[in-house]
Amino acid sequence: MGLGWDEAVYVSQVSGHAPAAFFSAPRARGISLLVAPVASWSSSTELLRVYLALLSGLGLFLALRAWRGLFPVRVLALAGALFATLWVTVFYGPEVMPNYWVAIGALTGVGCLLRAQADRSDRAALWGLGASAALLAWMRPTDAVWVTLPLLALLVCLRRWWRPRSLAVLVAGLATGAVGWIVEAYVSFGGLGARLADASRIQGGLGWNIAIGDQLRSLRGQTLCRPCTGSIPAPELIAWWFALPLLAALGLVVAVRSRRTARTLLPLACATTASIPYLFMIGYAAPRFLLPFYALLAIPVADALIHLVTTTRRAWRPVAVTLVALAMAGHLAVQYAVLKDAVDGSTASRRDWAGTASELHRLGVRPPCVVSGSEALPIAFYAGCASAQTHGHNASTTGADIQRTAQHTPTAALAAAEDEPPGYAQGWSSHRFGDLRIHVSPAARDQVPNGTGS
C-alpha cells in the first residue's frame, strides 16, 4: 500500500520528498519522529513498511515481556497471538499511525507498574513505567491521560498502593512525552486550551455521543467511518467483538478465585477508560482508536481461554479444547478476510492518488509546486508538492495567497468533475482526469514539454 492521508501528514514532517503538510491540533509528532530514521533519507514505502513491521513486532514482544512473572508464559504467548492476529493490528502495525504505539505503551506501562508495586527494588520496572508513559504522551497526549487515569487514581487514592517513586516516575514520563505538544500549543495554536478546543472541533465536538454502533459498522474493514452510515456487519464479522468483554469478565472471575485480582482488574480498568472517548464521546469511528483497548484486554481474555481448556474434567477436556480451537480458527479466518478487504480498498484509493500525482506532473505541476482543493493533501505529497487549503480542518492559507503564489509557482486546484473551479482558479486551464477536474495555473505551462499538454 502507498501512504494514506494521515500517513502523508506525519511522514511529510520529516521527509525530503515533499514540504511538510499542515499539522492540525489533534496530531502529535511522536510517530513522525519514530519513522524519521528511515523517512528522512528514503522515500521508499516498502522500506518504511518493513521497518515498522519489525519495530512493531519488537514492541509487542517487549510489552509482553514486562508481564513476565505476573502471568504464566503460556497466557502471555496466547495474549500476544490474540492481539497480533486482529486485522486492525496487522493493518496498523506497519502504518505510520500512532494508535498501535499507544497500545504498546499502555500494555507495557500497566505491566511495569504492577511489577514495581510487587517489588520495590525492581528498578527495571520503574524505568519501563517512565518510558512507556513517555511513549504514550509522545504519540497521543490526550489518549495518555485516559489510559493512565486508573494508575494515577490508585497511586494517589489508595494507601496500600501509595508509592511516591512510582507516582513520580509515571508523572515524569507523561510530562516528558507531552512537553513538546504543550510547547507547540502555545507557539502555534494560541495556548493549551485553544489547542484542545481546536482538536475537539476537528473531531466533531467531543461530548456525550454513543459511538458503539459506529465502531461496529467500522469492523467490516473501514479504516474511517465518518459519517458512519449503513447497516451493522454480518454477525460472523462482529461476534468476536461481543465475545471480548464476556471473556474478559471470565478472566476477572478466574483472577479473583486465584487471589490475583489486581493483575487482571488494573488492565481491565485502563482498557475501559481508554475506550470511553471513542465509544461515548465522539461522533464517528475508526477501528484503530480501540487498539489500546484490545491490547489491554488480551491478557485477561487469554487467561480465560487457558482456564476453559485446562480446568474442565478430564473426560470433557478434549471437547473444550476442540471447541475453543474451532472458535479460534473461525475467528482467524474472519480477521484475515476483513483484512484483505481493508487492504484492497485502501490500496485502490492510494493508487488513485498516485495516478493523479502523475497527471499533475504531466500537466507541468512539478516541484516546487502547490496543490489545493479536493484531497489535495495526500495527492500533493505523492506529487512532491506543498498542500494548501483555504477552508476545512486543514485550512492553512487564503485564496489571495494562492493566487499570488500561482503567479510564479506551478499550482493546481483539484475539484470534483461537476464542480466549478474555486474563485482563485478562475481563468486557469482546466483538465478532466477521472472523477476530478484539475485547474492548472499559467505558471505550470512553462513546465510542460512541447506536445504533452492537453
Side-chain angles (χ1 to χ4, degrees):
M1 295 188 303
L3 295 179
W5 186 306
D6 294 291
E7 290 185 293
V9 175
Y10 289 124
V11 172
S12 71
Q13 309 303 310
V14 294
S15 172
H17 173 70
F22 177 74
F23 207 74
S24 61
R27 303 187 188 278
R29 298 185 181 274
I31 190 65
S32 297
L33 297 176
L34 188 70
V35 300
V38 171
S40 60
W41 60 271
S42 173
S43 60
S44 169
T45 304
E46 292 86 351
L47 180 60
L48 191 59
R49 297 275 185 241
V50 171
Y51 165 74
L52 283 173
L54 294 174
L55 200 61
S56 61
L58 176 62
L60 180 56
F61 170 78
L62 293 175
L64 292 168
R65 183 67 180 80
W67 288 81
R68 283 289 296 270
L70 300 173
F71 284 88
V73 172
R74 61 184 178 179
V75 172
L76 301 180
L78 179 58
L82 291 172
F83 180 64
T85 52
L86 291 177
W87 77 263
V88 64
T89 305
V90 181
F91 188 93
Y92 284 105
E95 286 238 325
V96 189
M97 297 292 284
N99 310 86
Y100 177 88
W101 297 101
V102 174
I104 294 302
L107 187 60
T108 307
V110 176
C112 287
L113 179 63
L114 287 168
R115 289 182 57 174
Q117 292 298 108
D119 182 1
R120 296 190 181 188
S121 64
D122 192 342
R123 299 179 65 86
L126 283 175
W127 280 103
L129 175 62
S132 60
L135 177 65
L136 279 168
W138 196 38
M139 291 295 168
R140 287 186 69 87
T142 51
D143 282 8
V145 174
W146 285 102
V147 168
T148 57
L149 271 178
L151 308 184
L152 292 167
L154 283 175
L155 290 172
V156 171
C157 300
L158 292 186
R159 180 175 298 180
R160 68 188 187 89
W161 278 78
W162 172 250
R163 298 285 191 279
R165 283 202 305 172
S166 296
L167 179 61
V169 167
L170 177 58
V171 172
L174 291 172
T176 300
V179 64
W181 195 83
I182 294 172
V183 169
E184 187 180 44
Y186 286 95
V187 172
S188 303
F189 295 93
L192 183 58
R195 184 169 196 173
L196 290 171
D198 283 350
S200 175
R201 176 181 53 81
I202 289 171
Q203 292 173 308
L206 297 180
W208 179 250
N209 188 83
I210 300 177
I212 295 174
D214 294 343
Q215 285 292 345
L216 281 173
R217 292 182 183 92
S218 74
L219 292 179
R220 63 169 61 95
Q222 290 179 265
T223 56
L224 180 63
C225 195
R226 185 180 191 182
C228 213
T229 57
S231 59
I232 300 295
E236 62 270 20
L237 298 183
I238 60 176
W240 68 273
W241 207 69
F242 290 99
L244 275 180
L246 298 177
L247 289 170
L250 175 59
L252 181 58
V253 172
V254 172
V256 171
R257 290 180 177 177
S258 303
R259 295 185 179 181
R260 46 180 172 80
T261 305
R263 300 177 191 179
T264 299
L265 186 58
L266 192 55
L268 290 179
C270 292
T272 301
T273 56
S275 69
I276 286 174
Y278 298 116
L279 292 179
F280 302 106
M281 296 180 65
I282 196 169
Y284 64 99
R288 66 179 184 271
F289 292 160
L290 294 183
L291 274 168
F293 175 74
Y294 301 142
L296 290 164
L297 286 189
I299 292 177
V301 168
D303 199 23
L305 290 172
I306 295 288
H307 174 79
L308 288 175
V309 300
T310 57
T311 60
T312 54
R313 293 180 181 179
R314 185 178 299 273
W316 287 98
R317 193 170 297 170
V319 177
V321 171
T322 301
L323 291 175
V324 170
L326 288 174
M328 293 301 298
H331 170 68
L332 193 64
V334 166
Q335 293 300 309
Y336 278 82
V338 176
L339 175 65
K340 182 180 184 303
D341 289 343
V343 170
D344 289 346
S346 296
T347 301
S349 64
R350 299 170 194 198
R351 189 180 295 120
D352 289 344
W353 293 338
T356 305
S358 297
E359 179 67 5
L360 288 172
H361 288 170
R362 190 184 72 82
L363 295 172
V365 183
R366 301 187 183 93
C369 47
V370 177
V371 179
S372 66
S374 177
E375 297 189 323
L377 197 152
I379 292 171
F381 180 82
Y382 276 72
C385 302
S387 60
Q389 295 286 32
T390 59
H391 61 278
H393 300 322
N394 296 301
S396 57
T397 188
T398 64
D401 286 337
I402 293 178
Q403 280 185 320
R404 284 192 290 271
T405 300
Q407 293 175 8
H408 53 79
T409 300
T411 303
L414 308 177
E418 65 275 9
D419 291 346
E420 294 294 321
Y424 58 81
Q426 296 291 334
W428 294 4
S429 61
S430 182
H431 310 266
R432 177 72 180 265
F433 183 74
D435 295 332
L436 290 175
R437 187 161 290 280
I438 303 174
H439 307 282
V440 179
S441 71
R445 297 172 188 167
D446 297 336
Q447 304 293 323
V448 182
N450 291 335
T452 63
S454 61

